Structures are given as C-alpha cells and as structure tokens.
C-alpha cells in the first residue's frame, strides 16, 4: 500500500491534543480549570461509546468533565432545565448534548438553549450564522478536523476547488462554510444533484460526508485529488462486520494524491477539536468576564 498517501488522523489528532494540553496548563496557571459537561439522554449504545471516549479524552488533556445521564423518558422541559443550570454555572465552559436524542424531545429547542459561548459543538444558530459570515466562532468539530487535515496536507487552500458531498447541518454545510472562509471555490453536492460524478471530477479536494458505503470510486475523482472521507459505515464483509468509508478506498488509492483511511482518518479529529473548542470557550469566557469587571471598575472610579 502507498502509505505515503495516507492522511493519518491519529497522528494529527495527537498533535492537536498536545497543543490543547499545553493550553490547559497555561489556563490552570491563571486559576482557570477548563470544564466540559456532556449530556446523554437515553441508552443508545453508540452514543454511550462516544460519550465515554469524550470523557476519557478530556481527562487525558486535563479538562474537567461532568457527565449527565438522563433517562429515555426525560421531557424537553426537564432537559432545558438542566441546560439552563449548566449555562449559569461559571465553572463550566462547554456544554455538549449528545445526538441523537429520543424522538419525543425537541432537538432544535434543546440545541438553541445552550449558551452560544458554551456551544462547543457549534450547532447554535448564532455560531452557525457567524460561521456563514466568515467569522471566527465555535465551529462544528468534524468539519474543523477535516479543515485541519486539509491544511496540513495541501498547505495553502486559496483558490482550490473543493467539492463537499452531503449537506447535513453537522458536516456538509459547516464544511462548505469553513472551506469558503479558507478562500476555496466550493461546490456542494447532495442526493438531488444530477450527475454528481461529473461535478466531483472537477475537484482538487473532495470531502465525502454521505453515509453510503464505498459510493465514491475512481470515476468520481480527478487524478491527483485530495480526498477526505468522513463516512463511517458498518458493513458485513465475508461474514465479518467492519467499518468502511463513503469512498472505495482500495480502488481510488492509485488515483489520488492523498486520502484519509476509515477508521483512523477523520474520526480521531472530531474529539480532538471538541477538546480544542472547550479550551477556546474557557479562554473566551474568562476574557469576557475580565473585560466586564474592568468596565465595572472604570465606571466606579
Ligand atoms: P446525513 O445523513 O445527515 O447526510 C447525508 C448527506 O448525503 C445528505 O445531505 C444527502 O443529501 C447526501 N447524499 C445522500 N446520498 C447521496 C448521493 N447518492 N450522492 C450525493 N449526496 C448524497 O449524514 P451526516 O450526519 O452528514 O453523516 C455523513 C456520514 O459521516 C455518515 O456516515 C456518518 O456516520 C459520518 N460521520 C462521521 C463523523 C466522524 O467523526 N468521522 C462525524 C459525523 C458524521
């Protein structure tokens, strides 16, 4: 295998986490202890694994973590009360609501209830709007991780043609906004795009966030393209269950300049950027408090 073509998510995530750990130490020297509250409603097995991994990673980098497990029959109002309590708690800097929520809970209301400055997932409309205006905000973790991998792989992204396949609020749309902010020319493809291969074949950079196992083969790619595969799909292969991406990795490898594997590509970057967002949020909240108290002092004296 051409291992030099692999974009190593684990190694890149380790680099981000090392920086986060150093930032946490600096904050602790100023008596700030970054803290992340994670809310899990119900008992979805995959969500339980994700939450456990987030808590473990937080501990590794020195971020205090608090886990709030709520039963499946929790009402929207009860969830909103917990979020309001966490918003008001100045010792907590990040609030993460693990998705998906049970069907009876109003997901949009719950996500909008999280204070924008504690919204470490970047799903609040204020952060979504800010990102679409090209401002520096708390941006969603998976696309932020993809952008980091692209910057490490391609260097300057200005003027590159990037095709994003998928338009979800969690990955596709924020990915497109981040690439626009990085001065790429961006095309977004989705399930209603006619002839997606034709458009995709024009791309220097392809980000696949579809959720269809091995949908993208060499016929979708310009020779030399850089490919980021966000998809995580479980398939049965020769009686064995395993994970594959949205890209048919083996068949495109000879065709591309660089590609992320699945697993070991984008996955580790998501948690690393959650930690990074938590530290960014802690720093921003501390600075906001300091400017408030300075303004108060000025108004008194
Ligand atoms: P989603 O189902 O919300 O969105 C999928 C998108 O793909 C939709 O916008 C749809 O229009 C588009 N689509 C579907 N079929 C298509 C086709 N044939 N051609 C072009 N577009 C098509 O999914 P999502 O939440 O954005 O996740 C996408 C994938 O990324 C999933 O496999 C998910 O598990 C994975 N994911 C991975 C991470 C990670 O950390 N690595 C994080 C989030 C999601």
């Amino acid at each position: 295998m051409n291992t030099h073509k692999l974009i190593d998510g684990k190694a890149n995530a380790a680099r981000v986490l090392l920086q986060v750990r150093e930032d946490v130490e600096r904050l602790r020297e100023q008596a700030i202890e970054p803290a992340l509250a994670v809310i899990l409603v119900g008992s979805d097995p995959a969500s339980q694994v994700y939450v456990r991994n987030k808590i473990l990673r937080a501990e590794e980098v020195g971020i205090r973590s608090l886990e709030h497990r709520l039963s499946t029959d929790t009402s929207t109002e009860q969830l909103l009360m917990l979020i309001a309590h966490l918003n008001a708690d100045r010792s907590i800097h990040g609030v993460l609501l693990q998705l998906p929520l049970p069907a009876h809970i109003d997901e949009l209301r719950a996500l909008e209830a999280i204070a924008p400055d504690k919204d470490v997932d970047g799903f609040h409309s204020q952060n979504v709007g800010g990102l679409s205006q090209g401002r520096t905000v708390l941006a969603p973790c998976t696309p932020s991780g993809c952008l980091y991998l692209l910057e490490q792989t391609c260097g300057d992204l200005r003027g590159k043609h990037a095709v994003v396949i998928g338009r979800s609020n969690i990955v596709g749309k924020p990915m497109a906004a981040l690439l626009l902010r990085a001065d790429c020319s961006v095309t977004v493809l989705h399930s209603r795009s006619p002839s997606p291969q034709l458009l995709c074949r024009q791309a220097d950079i392809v980000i696949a966030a579809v959720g269809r196992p091995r949908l993208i083969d060499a016929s979708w790619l310009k020779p030399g393209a850089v490919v980021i595969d966000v998809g995580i799909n479980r398939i049965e292969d020769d009686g064995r269950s395993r994970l594959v991406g949205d890209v048919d990795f083996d068949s495109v490898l000879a065709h591309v300049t660089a590609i992320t594997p699945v697993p070991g590509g984008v996955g580790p970057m998501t948690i690393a950027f959650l930690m990074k967002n938590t530290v960014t949020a802690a720093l921003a909240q501390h600075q906001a408090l300091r400017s408030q108290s300075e303004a108060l002092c000025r108004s008194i004296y």
Side-chain angles (χ1 to χ4, degrees), residues 18 23-24 29 46 78 94 189 199 207 272-273 275-276 301:
L18 188 65
D23 292 345
V24 170
E29 282 163 14
Q78 286 168 322
L189 303 176
L199 287 166
I207 295 101
F273 271 80
M275 300 305 132
K276 192 169 162 47
Y301 299 108

Side-chain angles (χ1 to χ4, degrees), residues 134 173 266 281 297:
K173 284 183 199 148
V266 174
C297 285

Side-chain angles (χ1 to χ4, degrees), residues 265-300:
V266 174
M269 299 303 291
T270 298
I271 292 195
F273 271 80
L274 173 63
M275 300 305 132
K276 192 169 162 47
N277 276 356
T278 304
V279 169
T280 303
L283 188 60
Q285 283 160 46
H286 181 68
Q287 281 167 347
L289 269 179
R290 207 166 49 193
S291 0
Q292 271 169 24
S293 60
E294 281 167 7
L296 189 63
C297 285
R298 273 199 301 276
S299 71
I300 294 171

Side-chain angles (χ1 to χ4, degrees), residues 212-215 229-233 243-248 262-263:
R212 300 277 152 89
R214 299 178 181 142
L215 171 74
D229 190 354
V230 184
I232 302 176
N233 310 290
L243 294 179
V244 296
D246 292 340
V247 180
D248 188 5
V262 177

Side-chain angles (χ1 to χ4, degrees), residues 28-214:
R28 281 177 181 269
E29 282 163 14
Q30 300 171 54
I32 306 163
E33 186 187 27
L36 171 67
V38 181
I39 306 170
L40 174 62
V41 188
S43 53
D44 176 59
S47 293
Q48 290 187 13
V49 174
Y50 292 141
V51 166
R52 195 164 55 237
N53 288 341
K54 288 168 185 173
I55 300 279
L56 280 174
R57 201 61 81 238
E59 282 168 8
E60 277 168 26
V61 295
I63 292 174
R64 185 167 71 94
S65 60
L66 299 94
E67 197 178 335
H68 293 270
R69 284 179 179 254
L70 305 180
S71 62
T72 311
D73 60 2
T74 300
S75 67
T76 300
E77 297 306 327
Q78 286 168 322
L79 177 58
L80 293 179
M81 271 167 58
L82 172 61
I83 293 172
H85 168 76
L86 296 170
N87 284 343
D89 185 340
R90 281 192 177 168
S91 72
I92 289 170
H93 307 99
V95 177
L96 181 143
L97 180 57
Q98 183 65 44
L99 302 179
L101 294 170
H104 67 276
I105 292 185
D106 187 337
E107 181 178 299
L108 189 61
R109 242 181 111 198
L111 290 175
E112 286 294 289
I114 296 172
D117 62 342
K118 297 192 178 188
D119 171 36
V120 284
D121 254 341
F123 295 159
H124 190 284
S125 58
Q126 188 171 310
N127 287 320
V128 175
L131 180 60
S132 76
Q133 288 176 331
R135 288 194 279 128
T136 303
V137 291
L138 291 170
C141 303
T142 301
S144 297
C146 294
L147 185 73
Y148 180 92
L149 293 178
L150 285 169
E151 285 169 344
Q152 296 298 310
T153 306
C154 308
D156 191 357
L157 298 177
R158 269 178 299 180
K160 298 236 188 284
H161 181 202
V163 163
V164 181
I165 316 172
R167 58 172 166 181
S168 71
N169 291 336
I170 292 173
V171 190
K173 284 183 199 148
M175 186 76 249
L178 284 168
L179 289 163
L180 273 176
R181 199 176 71 180
D183 291 329
C184 287
S185 305
V186 183
T187 303
V188 181
L189 303 176
H190 49 79
S191 54
R192 301 296 172 93
S193 303
S195 317
Q197 287 100 323
L198 280 183
L199 287 166
C200 194
R201 263 208 301 271
Q202 297 169 21
D204 306 307
I205 291 167
V206 174
I207 295 101
V210 186
R212 300 277 152 89
R214 299 178 181 142

